[in-house]
Amino acid sequence: MQPNGGIKTRNTLQRMAKAMVEVGEGCTAEDLKRRNFTPDQIGTLGPKASEIATDMAQFA
């Protein structure tokens, strides 16, 4: 899940999940790029961030 296991990775994961919730259903990689996430971050963290975003949206 976390390539380097660091706090920076966890923070990026949380920021990405929050961005996904803000964009809403249908959030794309392009939406995330516009919010300053790199293609590598999107590819690596995107699937887990999507799971977290789904949970966040359900409990909001």
Side-chain angles (χ1 to χ4, degrees):
M1 177 180 101
Q2 298 174 3
N4 65 9
I7 289 177
K8 182 178 178 184
T9 301
R10 286 188 295 258
N11 289 342
T12 302
L13 184 61
Q14 288 297 318
R15 281 189 316 104
M16 188 179 293
K18 184 177 178 185
M20 289 176 169
V21 171
E22 290 171 357
V23 170
E25 191 172 338
C27 180
T28 66
E30 285 303 314
D31 293 322
L32 295 174
K33 286 179 189 175
R34 284 187 217 109
R35 292 176 177 253
N36 299 318
F37 292 101
T38 67
D40 285 342
Q41 289 172 323
I42 295 166
T44 303
L45 302 175
K48 185 63 179 175
S50 181
E51 290 176 25
I52 294 169
T54 299
D55 289 343
M56 290 169 70
Q58 288 176 350
F59 294 107

